[in-house]
Amino acid sequence: MTNGAGPVEWSVVASPVGPLMLAATGTGLVSVTFHAQPPVREGTRAMLRERLGAEPVEDGGSDVLAAAARLFDAYFDGSLRTFDLPLDWSLTSGFHRRVLQELATGVPYGSVVGYGELAARVGRPDGAQAVGAAMGANPLPVVVPCHRVVESGGGLGGFGGGLETKRRLLELEGVLPQPLF
């Protein structure tokens, strides 16, 4: 399978929650990966190669990657609330894509939504667990803010980047209080 969007380029950017691996196609940002140490990067590159049918190339000068790096810096310094980037949704489809697109457009910075409420928004009021699966498969965390999806009883729920990362992102957005020390 060929992705039809040209080469896949990637780079690693530093962040307060650890290194992030960003990948883009000619269509847009396609992947964000937490904890991007060398073994994680290799696993992500293999997944991109298999799923997109193109050999990922490190930092080939992609305008999308450069813009994404700037926007992540602005997000983490508190000056950005919305990622205005072209996105390549080719790593997700069907129900997962509908859920992630609703999340991207319908849950703004500084707010949270329950798994069940998000399921109802996409026409599956009994689909809270399916929403959880979509969050776990989100190829674009932070940009598509799965950290904003929480349990209806007030718990954080799960998070592919780890619960401490989710907590830090929600603190940054003012949803949770900053720890005293």
Side-chain angles (χ1 to χ4, degrees):
M1 174 181 85
T2 303
N3 71 9
V8 179
E9 297 182 27
W10 65 275
S11 64
V12 175
V13 298
S15 85
V17 295
L20 301 172
M21 180 178 172
L22 310 178
T25 66
T27 301
L29 190 68
V30 72
S31 174
V32 175
T33 306
F34 288 106
H35 315 297
Q37 303 302 338
V40 171
R41 290 195 302 261
E42 184 50 44
T44 300
R45 287 176 44 226
M47 178 275 296
L48 292 168
R49 184 180 313 113
E50 179 182 319
R51 300 271 312 274
L52 299 177
E55 182 64 38
V57 176
E58 186 172 6
D59 205 3
S62 164
D63 291 340
V64 172
L65 286 180
R70 286 190 304 274
L71 292 176
F72 270 99
D73 284 345
Y75 172 80
F76 284 114
D77 77 16
S79 64
L80 179 82
R81 293 177 178 255
T82 304
F83 284 85
D84 185 17
L85 280 171
L87 301 179
D88 180 336
W89 293 97
S90 61
L91 293 177
T92 187
S93 62
F95 177 76
H96 284 195
R97 184 181 292 185
R98 284 197 327 270
V99 169
L100 294 173
Q101 288 176 330
E102 171 60 28
L103 177 61
T105 59
V107 184
Y109 183 100
S111 65
V112 294
V113 65
Y115 292 93
E117 181 184 339
L118 191 53
R121 288 186 189 186
V122 296
R124 291 248 333 251
D126 61 342
Q129 286 185 319
V131 165
M135 296 304 100
N138 180 5
L140 294 161
V142 183
V143 176
V144 177
C146 53
H147 61 279
R148 297 180 190 152
V149 183
V150 297
E151 295 175 348
S152 60
L156 285 179
F159 190 64
L163 288 182
E164 183 56 31
T165 298
K166 184 172 188 172
R167 184 175 286 107
R168 290 183 67 190
L169 294 171
L170 292 172
E171 288 169 359
L172 172 72
E173 294 188 13
V175 174
L176 293 176
Q178 295 280 334
L180 294 175
F181 37 120

